[in-house]
Structure formats: structure tokens, C-alpha cells
Amino acid sequence: MPGTTGTVGLIGSGMIGGAVARLAVAAGFTVVLSNSRGPETLAGLAADLGPRARAATAAEAAAADLVVAAVPLTAFDRLPAEALAGRTVLDTANYYPQRDGHLPVLDDGGLTSSELLQRRLPGARVVKAFNNIAFSHIVGLARPAGAGDRSALPVFGDDAAAKAEAVRFLDALGWDAVDAGALAESWRSAPETPVYVRPYLEELPAEGVADFLAWVARTSGSPVPAGEVAGLVEKAVRLPAGETRLPSRP
Ligand SMILES: NC(=O)c1ccc[n+]([C@@H]2O[C@H](COP(=O)([O-])OP(=O)(O)OC[C@H]3O[C@@H](n4cnc5c(N)ncnc54)[C@H](OP(=O)(O)O)[C@@H]3O)[C@@H](O)[C@H]2O)c1
């Protein structure tokens, strides 16, 4: 586990990776950003995040003390598995068959998407985190430890030490965490479960919104404390993965 002087590697520096990187820099971590197109394409984000951030290759990001894989599930095959051996890897991915293409191994309910990632990264210790909240709300709802309106996120993992590391990282970033079980249980925070995105939304304006996703992106979110997160995770009912829909409406 890095202290706030440690390094955090982002494999994937888009909406989710960028939001986590922003909080990590604010918490004092050094951040190594990466994507699929190369470090030069991340110069703007690195400059925006300031001197604690730099852009590098995915293999270099994999050498950080803690790694966040904020990539689409379709990129799992292209992650630097050897470089990630021995690392704790936070997995933010969600499976939307309509977007990602159908994967029978996930559709038949045999594996969760995080178990699939764990198989692709056999030497790493995968922890599911940050998948059940809109990227804008990761930043908008972060609060210092002890704040009355601090929110929580569920974490899932098979390795207790890695999960504890993830919990400490979330805490440093401004979040409580709820240990919600093993990777096999991570369907409980998948799209369309009770804890997925919706609880963290602000109340919709009475007049409605023309573009729901754009509205989510410009709002800060609504706090969800740890006890409520635990209850929502508990209430989840497993749906066939093929039934998930892309979120265009609340
Ligand atoms: N956006 C949200 O609010 C949100 C919330 C919760 C969970 N998630 C989930 O988190 C995952 C990432 O979502 P996102 O919205 O952050 O996506 P995004 O904005 O499209 O960013 C994806 C990032 O992954 C990088 N990437 C793709 N293939 C890669 C590879 N082989 N090696 C290294 N980097 C690679 C992309 O780099 P290039 O651009 O160079 O290809 C990009 O930086 C998805 O599974 C999504 O469902 C998203």
C-alpha cells in the first residue's frame, strides 16, 4: 500500500482514470498516467494535473505501488500481465454487452467481469472498485475523513491484503469503503443493481434534462453513507448479464 508519498499507476486515463488521478494527486500521490495511444496523447491531462503527474506507457504505470485499471473490458487482453504480476490492481470495468460485445463466459453467469480480469492477470491481486459510480461523482463526493456527509463505495476482492490496500487508498482519496466480499460477489455492484450509479445521483430537475449523461457529468452527486451502501449491496438480485442496458435514462 502506498502512503500518500507512493505512486499510483493509471492504465486507462479517460473519464474514470482521470477522475481517480485527480483525487490521487490532490491526496499527495505521484500519478503515472497511461492509455492505449501513447504518453504524448496524455500531455494535456498530465499538465493539467500538475507536477505530481506524468504520462508514460502502460507497462511503466504497472510498476507503480498501486495500479488502477480503468479500461474497457475489451482491453483486458491487452493489459501488461507480466508487469502487473505482484501488483494490486483496482478494476473499474463494467460489462455492457451492447457496447462491449457478448462474452459467453460472462453471459452465462459463470464469472464476474472482475474474475475474468483476475484470470487474465494471474499474478496480480484484483480488487473491484469505482465501477458503480459516475466519474464526475467520484470527484464531487470526495470528503475528508470524519466529514458528516462522507460517501462510501463497495469493494470486492479475493486477497484480504489487497482489499485492505484498496480501502486505505479510497480513504486517502476521500471515500469510505464497504467490504462486500469476494470477486465472485462483484455482480452485486454491476449495472442495474441497487448500488449502481443511481443512489449517488442528485435529484433530477423538475423540468427534466435533455441529455441525462451530460447532466450527470456536470453534477457533484448526492452522498451515500457506508451503511446505506452495505444495505444496497445486500439487496442485489442477480440478473442475466445479457439483460443490462446502456444507461441513457435514470
Ligand atoms: N465513465 C464512467 O462514469 C464510468 C463509471 C464507472 C465505471 N466505468 C467503467 O470503467 C471503464 C473505463 O471507463 P471510462 O468511462 O473511463 O472509459 P474512457 O473514458 O473511454 O477511457 C478508457 C481509457 O482506457 C484506455 N485504454 C483502452 N485500451 C487500453 C489498453 N489496451 N491499454 C491501456 N489503456 C487502454 C483508453 O485509452 P485510449 O483513449 O488511448 O484508447 C482510455 O484512456 C469501463 O469499463 C466503464 O464501463 C465508467
Side-chain angles (χ1 to χ4, degrees):
M1 160 67 192
T4 49
T5 54
T7 54
V8 178
L10 277 303
I11 302 185
S13 303
M15 288 183 269
I16 283 279
V20 173
R22 193 165 297 281
L23 286 183
V25 162
F29 294 101
T30 296
V31 164
V32 183
L33 306 164
S34 71
N35 63 7
S36 75
R37 287 166 295 150
E40 63 285 358
T41 65
L42 289 167
L45 178 60
D48 187 40
L49 292 176
R52 287 203 199 99
R54 69 183 174 93
T57 64
E60 288 174 281
D65 297 318
L66 180 77
V67 178
V68 181
V71 297
L73 182 132
T74 48
F76 281 3
D77 277 339
R78 299 191 299 282
L79 296 180
E82 278 183 28
L84 287 168
R87 303 274 171 230
T88 294
V89 177
L90 305 195
D91 166 32
T92 75
N94 287 305
Y95 175 46
Y96 284 106
Q98 304 86 335
R99 177 191 67 183
D100 301 323
H102 277 274
L103 286 175
V105 71
L106 300 182
D107 286 340
D108 71 12
L111 287 183
T112 61
S113 60
S114 284
E115 288 178 295
L116 178 65
L117 179 60
Q118 181 65 78
R119 287 193 178 189
R120 300 271 157 87
L121 304 176
R125 305 177 302 173
V126 172
V127 178
K128 187 90 183 180
F130 295 118
N131 71 297
N132 70 310
I133 184 164
F135 74 98
S136 47
H137 298 167
I138 291 176
V139 175
L141 292 173
R143 299 286 187 278
D149 60 348
R150 212 181 202 218
S151 294
L153 292 169
V155 295
F156 302 84
D158 294 343
D159 183 290
K163 199 155 47 174
E165 196 177 331
V167 170
R168 289 195 295 274
F169 180 60
L170 261 67
D171 184 46
L173 263 51
W175 284 85
D176 288 336
V178 171
D179 180 348
L183 294 180
E185 291 295 308
S186 60
W187 60 267
R188 291 180 176 278
S189 70
E192 297 190 35
T193 58
V195 81
Y196 189 77
V197 176
R198 189 186 298 253
Y200 304 90
L201 294 176
E202 294 181 12
E203 196 168 328
L204 268 174
E207 67 277 18
V209 291
D211 181 338
F212 175 66
L213 295 180
W215 172 76
V216 171
R218 66 175 181 268
T219 55
S220 297
S222 179
V224 187
E228 194 176 329
V229 168
L232 292 167
V233 166
E234 191 61 35
K235 270 175 38 185
V237 175
R238 194 162 196 176
L239 294 173
E243 289 189 11
T244 57
R245 295 180 299 275
L246 286 167
S248 56
R249 308 285 310 162

